[in-house]
PDB file of all heavy atoms in Angstrom:
ATOM      1  N   ASP A  22       1.011 -23.738  16.254  1.00  0.00           N
ATOM      2  CA  ASP A  22      -0.281 -24.394  16.553  1.00  0.00           C
ATOM      3  C   ASP A  22      -0.197 -25.899  16.267  1.00  0.00           C
ATOM      4  O   ASP A  22      -0.796 -26.707  16.976  1.00  0.00           O
ATOM      5  CB  ASP A  22      -1.413 -23.811  15.683  1.00  0.00           C
ATOM      6  CG  ASP A  22      -1.855 -22.436  16.157  1.00  0.00           C
ATOM      7  OD1 ASP A  22      -1.412 -21.999  17.238  1.00  0.00           O
ATOM      8  OD2 ASP A  22      -2.635 -21.782  15.421  1.00  0.00           O
ATOM      9  N   VAL A  27      10.108 -24.250  15.046  1.00  0.00           N
ATOM     10  CA  VAL A  27      10.244 -23.209  14.021  1.00  0.00           C
ATOM     11  C   VAL A  27      11.477 -22.360  14.291  1.00  0.00           C
ATOM     12  O   VAL A  27      11.699 -21.909  15.428  1.00  0.00           O
ATOM     13  CB  VAL A  27       9.022 -22.247  14.044  1.00  0.00           C
ATOM     14  CG1 VAL A  27       9.072 -21.270  12.876  1.00  0.00           C
ATOM     15  CG2 VAL A  27       7.718 -23.008  14.048  1.00  0.00           C
ATOM     16  N   ARG A  58     -22.418  -4.941   6.510  1.00  0.00           N
ATOM     17  CA  ARG A  58     -23.872  -5.123   6.699  1.00  0.00           C
ATOM     18  C   ARG A  58     -24.470  -3.949   7.460  1.00  0.00           C
ATOM     19  O   ARG A  58     -25.505  -3.416   7.089  1.00  0.00           O
ATOM     20  CB  ARG A  58     -24.154  -6.439   7.431  1.00  0.00           C
ATOM     21  CG  ARG A  58     -24.082  -7.645   6.494  1.00  0.00           C
ATOM     22  CD  ARG A  58     -24.700  -8.876   7.127  1.00  0.00           C
ATOM     23  NE  ARG A  58     -23.984  -9.304   8.317  1.00  0.00           N
ATOM     24  CZ  ARG A  58     -22.866 -10.027   8.284  1.00  0.00           C
ATOM     25  NH1 ARG A  58     -22.346 -10.393   7.132  1.00  0.00           N
ATOM     26  NH2 ARG A  58     -22.271 -10.383   9.397  1.00  0.00           N
ATOM     27  N   ARG A  59     -23.763  -3.519   8.510  1.00  0.00           N
ATOM     28  CA  ARG A  59     -24.292  -2.392   9.295  1.00  0.00           C
ATOM     29  C   ARG A  59     -24.365  -1.119   8.469  1.00  0.00           C
ATOM     30  O   ARG A  59     -25.183  -0.247   8.721  1.00  0.00           O
ATOM     31  CB  ARG A  59     -23.424  -2.173  10.549  1.00  0.00           C
ATOM     32  CG  ARG A  59     -23.765  -3.145  11.681  1.00  0.00           C
ATOM     33  CD  ARG A  59     -23.179  -2.665  13.002  1.00  0.00           C
ATOM     34  NE  ARG A  59     -21.740  -2.736  13.029  1.00  0.00           N
ATOM     35  CZ  ARG A  59     -21.043  -3.804  13.455  1.00  0.00           C
ATOM     36  NH1 ARG A  59     -21.667  -4.865  13.912  1.00  0.00           N
ATOM     37  NH2 ARG A  59     -19.737  -3.797  13.439  1.00  0.00           N
ATOM     38  N   ALA A  81      -7.771 -15.505 -17.225  1.00  0.00           N
ATOM     39  CA  ALA A  81      -8.259 -16.768 -16.648  1.00  0.00           C
ATOM     40  C   ALA A  81      -7.337 -17.943 -16.967  1.00  0.00           C
ATOM     41  O   ALA A  81      -7.296 -18.938 -16.251  1.00  0.00           O
ATOM     42  CB  ALA A  81      -9.665 -17.054 -17.143  1.00  0.00           C
ATOM     43  N   VAL A 101      -9.221 -14.684   7.322  1.00  0.00           N
ATOM     44  CA  VAL A 101      -8.517 -13.436   7.624  1.00  0.00           C
ATOM     45  C   VAL A 101      -9.332 -12.647   8.658  1.00  0.00           C
ATOM     46  O   VAL A 101      -8.890 -12.438   9.787  1.00  0.00           O
ATOM     47  CB  VAL A 101      -8.263 -12.589   6.349  1.00  0.00           C
ATOM     48  CG1 VAL A 101      -7.563 -11.275   6.705  1.00  0.00           C
ATOM     49  CG2 VAL A 101      -7.434 -13.382   5.335  1.00  0.00           C
ATOM     50  N   THR A 179      16.614 -27.911   1.493  1.00  0.00           N
ATOM     51  CA  THR A 179      16.868 -28.514   2.813  1.00  0.00           C
ATOM     52  C   THR A 179      17.311 -27.493   3.852  1.00  0.00           C
ATOM     53  O   THR A 179      17.605 -27.862   4.988  1.00  0.00           O
ATOM     54  CB  THR A 179      17.977 -29.578   2.688  1.00  0.00           C
ATOM     55  OG1 THR A 179      19.112 -28.960   2.050  1.00  0.00           O
ATOM     56  CG2 THR A 179      17.511 -30.766   1.866  1.00  0.00           C
ATOM     57  N   ALA A 202       9.359 -15.785   3.226  1.00  0.00           N
ATOM     58  CA  ALA A 202       8.380 -14.715   3.477  1.00  0.00           C
ATOM     59  C   ALA A 202       9.155 -13.403   3.635  1.00  0.00           C
ATOM     60  O   ALA A 202       8.944 -12.641   4.572  1.00  0.00           O
ATOM     61  CB  ALA A 202       7.570 -15.029   4.734  1.00  0.00           C
ATOM     62  N   PRO A 234      13.577  -1.403   3.389  1.00  0.00           N
ATOM     63  CA  PRO A 234      14.957  -1.337   2.877  1.00  0.00           C
ATOM     64  C   PRO A 234      15.510  -2.713   2.517  1.00  0.00           C
ATOM     65  O   PRO A 234      16.385  -2.828   1.673  1.00  0.00           O
ATOM     66  CB  PRO A 234      15.746  -0.707   4.031  1.00  0.00           C
ATOM     67  CG  PRO A 234      14.859  -0.747   5.227  1.00  0.00           C
ATOM     68  CD  PRO A 234      13.449  -0.841   4.731  1.00  0.00           C
ATOM     69  N   LEU A 278       1.177  10.167  -0.083  1.00  0.00           N
ATOM     70  CA  LEU A 278       0.028  10.972   0.354  1.00  0.00           C
ATOM     71  C   LEU A 278      -1.257  10.352  -0.190  1.00  0.00           C
ATOM     72  O   LEU A 278      -1.262   9.758  -1.266  1.00  0.00           O
ATOM     73  CB  LEU A 278       0.114  12.388  -0.206  1.00  0.00           C
ATOM     74  CG  LEU A 278       1.325  13.242   0.155  1.00  0.00           C
ATOM     75  CD1 LEU A 278       1.150  14.643  -0.408  1.00  0.00           C
ATOM     76  CD2 LEU A 278       1.522  13.291   1.666  1.00  0.00           C
ATOM     77  N   LEU A 299      -7.054  14.337 -12.847  1.00  0.00           N
ATOM     78  CA  LEU A 299      -6.620  13.267 -11.946  1.00  0.00           C
ATOM     79  C   LEU A 299      -7.331  13.414 -10.601  1.00  0.00           C
ATOM     80  O   LEU A 299      -7.258  14.478  -9.970  1.00  0.00           O
ATOM     81  CB  LEU A 299      -5.100  13.350 -11.737  1.00  0.00           C
ATOM     82  CG  LEU A 299      -4.240  12.510 -12.697  1.00  0.00           C
ATOM     83  CD1 LEU A 299      -4.591  12.786 -14.136  1.00  0.00           C
ATOM     84  CD2 LEU A 299      -2.772  12.750 -12.438  1.00  0.00           C
ATOM     85  N   THR A 301      -8.097  10.970  -7.016  1.00  0.00           N
ATOM     86  CA  THR A 301      -7.782   9.692  -6.386  1.00  0.00           C
ATOM     87  C   THR A 301      -9.038   8.912  -5.997  1.00  0.00           C
ATOM     88  O   THR A 301     -10.124   9.482  -5.876  1.00  0.00           O
ATOM     89  CB  THR A 301      -6.898   9.907  -5.142  1.00  0.00           C
ATOM     90  OG1 THR A 301      -6.349   8.655  -4.758  1.00  0.00           O
ATOM     91  CG2 THR A 301      -7.691  10.457  -3.973  1.00  0.00           C
ATOM     92  N   ALA A 351      -9.436  12.252  19.698  1.00  0.00           N
ATOM     93  CA  ALA A 351      -8.538  12.937  18.756  1.00  0.00           C
ATOM     94  C   ALA A 351      -8.912  12.580  17.316  1.00  0.00           C
ATOM     95  O   ALA A 351      -8.886  13.432  16.422  1.00  0.00           O
ATOM     96  CB  ALA A 351      -7.096  12.542  19.041  1.00  0.00           C
ATOM     97  N   GLU A 382       3.352  34.526  -4.878  1.00  0.00           N
ATOM     98  CA  GLU A 382       4.348  33.998  -3.945  1.00  0.00           C
ATOM     99  C   GLU A 382       4.457  32.475  -4.088  1.00  0.00           C
ATOM    100  O   GLU A 382       5.553  31.899  -4.077  1.00  0.00           O
ATOM    101  CB  GLU A 382       3.943  34.367  -2.506  1.00  0.00           C
ATOM    102  CG  GLU A 382       5.022  34.005  -1.504  1.00  0.00           C
ATOM    103  CD  GLU A 382       4.595  34.238  -0.043  1.00  0.00           C
ATOM    104  OE1 GLU A 382       3.435  34.647   0.206  1.00  0.00           O
ATOM    105  OE2 GLU A 382       5.415  33.992   0.841  1.00  0.00           O
ATOM    106  N   GLU A 416     -24.100  24.011  -8.183  1.00  0.00           N
ATOM    107  CA  GLU A 416     -23.957  22.581  -8.451  1.00  0.00           C
ATOM    108  C   GLU A 416     -24.720  22.125  -9.693  1.00  0.00           C
ATOM    109  O   GLU A 416     -24.253  21.283 -10.448  1.00  0.00           O
ATOM    110  CB  GLU A 416     -24.418  21.783  -7.212  1.00  0.00           C
ATOM    111  CG  GLU A 416     -24.023  20.341  -7.299  1.00  0.00           C
ATOM    112  CD  GLU A 416     -24.343  19.549  -6.031  1.00  0.00           C
ATOM    113  OE1 GLU A 416     -24.675  20.162  -4.989  1.00  0.00           O
ATOM    114  OE2 GLU A 416     -24.260  18.313  -6.095  1.00  0.00           O
ATOM    115  N   GLU A 448     -10.363  30.986  -2.737  1.00  0.00           N
ATOM    116  CA  GLU A 448     -11.220  31.650  -1.748  1.00  0.00           C
ATOM    117  C   GLU A 448     -10.348  32.309  -0.678  1.00  0.00           C
ATOM    118  O   GLU A 448      -9.524  31.646  -0.035  1.00  0.00           O
ATOM    119  CB  GLU A 448     -12.156  30.622  -1.105  1.00  0.00           C
ATOM    120  CG  GLU A 448     -13.168  31.282  -0.200  1.00  0.00           C
ATOM    121  CD  GLU A 448     -14.172  30.258   0.354  1.00  0.00           C
ATOM    122  OE1 GLU A 448     -14.551  29.325  -0.376  1.00  0.00           O
ATOM    123  OE2 GLU A 448     -14.531  30.409   1.532  1.00  0.00           O
ATOM    124  N   LEU A 509      -7.386  -4.105  -5.715  1.00  0.00           N
ATOM    125  CA  LEU A 509      -8.551  -3.393  -5.162  1.00  0.00           C
ATOM    126  C   LEU A 509      -8.221  -2.780  -3.801  1.00  0.00           C
ATOM    127  O   LEU A 509      -9.080  -2.171  -3.171  1.00  0.00           O
ATOM    128  CB  LEU A 509      -9.737  -4.348  -5.052  1.00  0.00           C
ATOM    129  CG  LEU A 509     -10.318  -4.795  -6.404  1.00  0.00           C
ATOM    130  CD1 LEU A 509     -11.279  -5.958  -6.220  1.00  0.00           C
ATOM    131  CD2 LEU A 509     -11.029  -3.639  -7.107  1.00  0.00           C
TER     132      LEU A 509
END
Side-chain angles (χ1 to χ4, degrees):
D22 285 352
V27 187
R58 281 195 297 279
R59 280 196 291 269
V101 178
T179 53
L278 300 185
L299 268 52
T301 194
E382 187 185 2
E416 192 174 348
E448 187 176 323
L509 291 168

